[in-house]
Amino acid sequence: MSKFVPYANESDVLNIGQLSIENRLDRITLNGDVDLTADQAGLADARALHALLGDVVARLEAQKLPAKLPPAPRVTVPNPFD
């Protein structure tokens, strides 16, 4: 498995518990949930999440960022069931 590099592509997905972390070129999307339980499994998940967020912060701090990204353009596609 390759290392999840934040903002590197539009395809990587990392799962920690039921939390899905999706890589994008301009954002990282987190969906779902994770229980950081007081046991070895919870510690492993907490460490993985901590490492991931550390990588995200480092990538953001290493570049010049706009105050806010513009909204993504909306694209309407034909309904295939019509």
Side-chain angles (χ1 to χ4, degrees):
M1 178 180 193
S2 62
K3 181 172 171 36
F4 186 97
V5 179
Y7 310 102
N9 58 53
E10 295 276 336
S11 60
D12 288 346
V13 177
L14 176 67
N15 293 298
I16 300 173
Q18 297 299 313
L19 184 67
S20 173
I21 301 100
E22 299 173 11
N23 211 3
R24 303 290 304 276
L25 295 174
D26 64 349
R27 68 195 73 230
I28 302 296
T29 304
L30 298 108
N31 294 299
D33 61 271
V34 61
D35 291 322
L36 301 176
T37 52
D39 57 14
Q40 291 296 317
L43 176 59
D45 285 347
R47 284 181 172 151
L49 193 54
H50 183 264
L52 171 70
L53 292 177
D55 290 346
V56 168
V57 169
R59 293 280 296 209
L60 291 172
E61 289 177 340
Q63 54 189 310
K64 183 170 173 51
L65 301 170
K68 185 165 175 76
L69 285 178
R74 292 188 174 260
V75 177
T76 303
V77 296
N79 184 338
F81 301 105
D82 284 341

